[in-house]
Amino acid sequence: MKKLFFYLMAGLFMSTIFISCKGIGDEDNGGNSNGNSATLTAEHYGFDGANSGKFSSTKAGIVKTTTAGVTILAISGIRDGGKESINIILYGDITAPKTFALGNGSSSGIIIRKDYQNVNDRDLSYSTDNDSPTMTGGGEVKIISVNGNQIEGTFYAVCHNNSSKEAYAEQGKFSGTIN
């Protein structure tokens, strides 16, 4: 199950990046009048016992996919000016405020990566689905509002990699248009 979750997250993350990236020659919307933008922030985040400061992604992506009757919402952001990423996967159609508990046994989860370009190095990927010998991974995502394709929420997470090292994100927020 963990491998399936990891590969699903990697695929959805890359799809989100592909959809939200601006190509050469694309027009800059400045004020984002088409509404296809999102932000993802965490007041505090860090890896392996160190605080890395504030995570801010002003060009995040929110993608909703329904296949075989299963709806998945992927919220992904790469830290502005960095390689770190936060990826949130929520199972279920979200049409109203809702809270998702994360951790072992949950189909939803968060992956925090030190380097979004290196998804094959499992030591750089930290998941709420992993535990360490002394601490359980987990967290929570709260959908605060849903208005058509506009969504807003908060989150926090404690994640571990395959070597039982920890990553965390606190006081997280996201908002934007669901694509």
Side-chain angles (χ1 to χ4, degrees):
M1 182 68 172
K2 286 183 181 183
K3 274 190 175 183
L4 176 64
F5 178 76
F6 176 77
Y7 290 120
L8 179 62
M9 265 308 278
L12 284 171
F13 174 69
M14 296 312 287
S15 298
T16 302
I17 297 305
F18 177 73
I19 290 169
S20 63
C21 285
K22 186 174 93 165
I24 297 172
D26 287 351
E27 220 174 275
D28 184 10
N29 287 330
N32 293 314
S33 60
N34 65 357
N36 289 329
S37 68
T39 60
L40 187 146
T41 62
E43 287 300 315
H44 305 281
Y45 82 106
F47 298 96
D48 309 327
N51 182 347
S52 298
K54 182 175 180 172
F55 181 98
S56 180
S57 176
T58 55
K59 294 182 181 178
I62 303 174
V63 177
K64 179 178 170 180
T65 305
T66 302
T67 303
V70 177
T71 300
I72 300 170
L73 184 70
I75 305 154
S76 299
I78 299 168
R79 186 176 63 81
D80 295 343
K83 290 186 175 185
E84 302 92 342
S85 66
I86 297 177
N87 309 286
I88 303 169
I89 297 293
L90 304 174
Y91 282 79
D93 198 10
I94 302 166
T95 58
K98 184 175 183 177
T99 300
F100 293 84
L102 309 176
N104 283 328
S106 172
S107 56
S108 299
I110 293 179
I111 292 180
I112 303 174
R113 289 195 174 94
K114 279 186 176 179
D115 183 351
Y116 74 93
Q117 295 174 321
N118 196 350
V119 296
N120 292 327
D121 187 341
R122 304 280 309 258
D123 283 338
L124 300 178
S125 296
Y126 301 73
S127 171
T128 54
D129 200 34
N130 290 337
D131 295 331
S132 78
T134 59
M135 191 172 199
T136 301
E140 183 178 86
V141 176
K142 284 187 182 183
I143 304 300
I144 296 171
S145 71
V146 180
N147 185 4
N149 281 346
Q150 297 296 312
I151 192 165
E152 183 177 341
T154 63
F155 69 93
Y156 68 88
V158 174
C159 305
H160 296 93
N161 66 9
N162 284 349
S163 301
S164 298
K165 293 184 178 178
E166 181 182 290
Y168 71 94
E170 298 175 332
Q171 300 172 353
K173 295 180 183 178
F174 57 87
S175 65
T177 302
I178 300 170
N179 293 304

